[in-house]
Amino acid sequence: MDPRETRESPARRRLREHRERASLAAVEAALGELRTGRGLSADEEPGWARAAIERAWSIHTEPDALLPDDSPPEVLDAWIEARLAEHGIGGDVYVASHVRPRPWLECRLPATGWAERVRGAVEEPWMFLSGPLDRLLIVSESEYHFECHAASV
């Protein structure tokens, strides 16, 4: 249980849960036909993935790939799609929703043409966990660049 939950009043808890449900519904609607209807809870997230995410935020971790942050959106989309393909992540993939009740939403990604929809649905960083839960790719914006971090079991 989140330590904040033990300190919040019942009214605040209800309000937080209402906001989280609304945020999750908005993300799911924006993903549209990409969604399969399944997902992972925080408890189902592999431990190695959480460690890889934390490692990616370290200033001592070099990204696997960089793209200038002034690249046009269509170039960013193609770059994200190419990084996933390069790392063997495709088909049924978990996309980080950044919403506590369902932090990972399963999406069926076609070979191309999906990145714009994902970027519009979830805020950056964009994180993708492979269906078999053995590979992770994170794309985030840093100063002057988009960074790609990849990890696997």
Side-chain angles (χ1 to χ4, degrees), residues 88-138:
I89 302 173
D92 290 350
V93 172
Y94 294 98
V95 175
S97 72
H98 306 297
V99 182
R100 187 170 20 182
R102 186 60 67 92
W104 294 95
L105 301 174
E106 187 182 59
C107 293
R108 186 162 290 127
L109 302 180
T112 61
W114 54 264
E116 179 181 17
R117 172 155 273 178
V118 169
R119 287 189 313 100
V122 297
E123 54 191 56
E124 179 268 331
W126 303 291
M127 297 189 283
F128 307 90
L129 184 58
S130 66
L133 308 179
D134 61 352
R135 284 168 270 163
L136 173 73
L137 191 112
I138 302 166

Side-chain angles (χ1 to χ4, degrees), residues 13-30 97-102 105 121:
R13 180 183 49 77
R14 284 191 304 275
L15 180 60
R16 176 184 50 78
E17 289 172 350
H18 173 75
R19 287 180 179 155
E20 289 172 344
R21 282 191 304 275
S23 294
L24 182 57
V27 169
E28 290 175 332
S97 72
H98 306 297
V99 182
R100 187 170 20 182
R102 186 60 67 92
L105 301 174

